[in-house]
Amino acid sequence: ILELKTELASLLGFKSYADYGLESKMAQNVQTVEEFLGSLTKAYQSKAETEKATLEDYKFSKTGSREMKPWERAYWMRKYESENLSVDT
């Protein structure tokens, strides 16, 4: 199926099936999507790093460990928000 999609895109003059699929969408091509995602990364990288450090510090204050497993993040975020941001979860 992937080979047929690639062939279809090529026959229609597109670099890839992704470009073909995006042509009628707001993004219009893969390059636009990549540029948009890159701009989001630049805009929010610092905030994400600060939030991660805050959450690790909070966990450390409760457990003595900063190590955060991916599946723990939501748990510690809820506890932090409930305690520090007046968010009732």
Side-chain angles (χ1 to χ4, degrees), residues 1 27 29 33-34 40 42 46 56-57 60 65 72 76 81 86-87:
I1 292 176
N29 59 53
V33 172
E34 289 174 347
L40 287 178
K42 286 179 187 172
S46 175
E56 288 172 344
D57 290 345
F60 181 77
S65 172
E72 294 179 299
W76 287 107
E81 289 173 345
S86 300
V87 175

Side-chain angles (χ1 to χ4, degrees), residues 14 27 38:
F14 294 94

Side-chain angles (χ1 to χ4, degrees), residues 40-57:
L40 287 178
T41 299
K42 286 179 187 172
Y44 293 102
Q45 184 72 36
S46 175
K47 173 73 173 149
E49 289 171 359
T50 300
E51 183 178 290
K52 180 179 183 265
T54 299
L55 215 50
E56 288 172 344
D57 290 345

Side-chain angles (χ1 to χ4, degrees), residues 5-72:
K5 287 181 175 184
T6 301
E7 183 179 349
L8 172 65
S10 179
L11 290 171
L12 294 173
F14 294 94
K15 288 189 270 183
S16 68
Y17 189 76
D19 280 314
Y20 166 69
L22 289 169
E23 193 255 342
S24 64
K25 308 292 189 281
M26 189 169 101
Q28 294 186 334
N29 59 53
V30 172
Q31 181 180 352
T32 303
V33 172
E34 289 174 347
E35 289 171 0
F36 174 69
L37 293 175
S39 71
L40 287 178
T41 299
K42 286 179 187 172
Y44 293 102
Q45 184 72 36
S46 175
K47 173 73 173 149
E49 289 171 359
T50 300
E51 183 178 290
K52 180 179 183 265
T54 299
L55 215 50
E56 288 172 344
D57 290 345
Y58 176 74
K59 181 183 178 194
F60 181 77
S61 75
K62 301 295 183 187
T63 68
S65 172
R66 282 188 170 79
E67 182 181 3
M68 183 87 55
K69 303 290 185 191
W71 55 87
E72 294 179 299

